[in-house]
Amino acid sequence: GDFAARIGGDEFIVIVDPLDADTVPADLANSIRACVAQPVKLPGGESYHVSVSVGVAVYPDGGRDATALLTTADAAMYADKLRNRSRV
């Protein structure tokens, strides 16, 4: 039931459904960050490193419809971006 898609520009969404009761949303966000942070090997031997900012919203606390959940996740993503601006 999980789903991932690009929603525009450099923004992506991951929907985890159902979210296991023992899943900690912050741990899931950290797992996504760690996966994306793996270096990408380029032809010629160089590596490309990427970082991401992640925002999480969990139904129903983060919103009761798609718009509210996206708004909550977007606000959390921008907060993450500000907290980790100097992170490489």
Side-chain angles (χ1 to χ4, degrees), residues 24-36 54 56 80 84 87:
V24 177
D27 292 345
L28 182 57
N30 287 332
S31 179
I32 292 170
R33 275 190 208 93
C35 288
V36 172
V54 179
V56 175
D80 183 53
N84 297 301
R87 185 176 63 193

Side-chain angles (χ1 to χ4, degrees), residues 41-66:
K41 298 293 182 186
L42 301 174
E46 292 187 54
S47 295
Y48 187 73
H49 298 268
V50 178
S51 66
V52 295
S53 297
V54 179
V56 175
V58 178
Y59 176 87
D61 295 337
R64 294 196 164 271
D65 60 41

